[in-house]
Amino acid sequence: RASAFVGLGPACTVGLTLSDEGERKKIQTIKDGKQENLLVFTDKDPVAGEVTLKLDPGKRIEHVGVKIEFIGMIEMFYGNYHEFTNLVRDLDAPGELVTTKTYPFDFSNVD
């Protein structure tokens, strides 16, 4: 990325991995003409995994905290959406990242 080389653009990339992604049931859907595989969750399934903040070499980031937000939303008729839950977990206090860091998260028993 040339923009990162001259100091423009993000100094890190965010990765998300779900702990049971390989075993979870999936459904196929088509959105905007593209086929997607979506994971299926029920009300008793935990949503857990890891978030990785990967820093570019030699970069550092000051931050006001690291959080993850779980938004439960369902698409109703005619493109209307209904948000049925919204939960936030603090993963790290304000500070500075100087290396790549991975944070575990767990949203268990989400209603």
Side-chain angles (χ1 to χ4, degrees):
R1 296 185 323 227
S3 61
F5 181 71
V6 295
L8 303 173
C12 78
T13 54
V14 178
L16 177 86
T17 306
L18 295 174
S19 57
D20 62 351
E21 188 172 347
E23 301 85 43
R24 183 154 301 281
K25 180 181 172 184
K26 297 175 180 78
I27 60 167
Q28 291 184 349
T29 185
I30 297 176
K31 185 171 184 174
D32 298 330
K34 296 172 81 177
Q35 183 174 322
E36 290 183 290
N37 288 321
L38 302 176
L39 301 174
V40 176
F41 291 89
T42 67
D43 61 341
K44 302 293 184 231
D45 292 337
V47 178
E50 295 179 334
V51 174
T52 301
L53 300 179
K54 183 179 179 188
L55 291 174
D56 290 342
K59 297 287 185 173
R60 60 184 222 187
I61 296 176
E62 289 185 33
H63 62 86
V64 295
V66 178
K67 298 179 183 197
I68 187 166
E69 186 173 10
F70 178 87
I71 301 172
M73 186 180 294
I74 190 166
E75 184 175 1
M76 308 296 274
F77 302 105
Y78 309 109
N80 294 321
Y81 293 91
H82 171 69
E83 187 176 304
F84 57 88
T85 192
N86 188 321
L87 303 168
V88 176
R89 300 278 191 267
D90 290 323
L91 301 178
D92 202 355
E96 183 177 66
L97 288 177
V98 293
T99 62
T100 295
K101 192 163 183 184
T102 300
Y103 301 94
F105 68 88
D106 187 2
F107 293 96
S108 294
N109 301 320
V110 176
D111 291 330

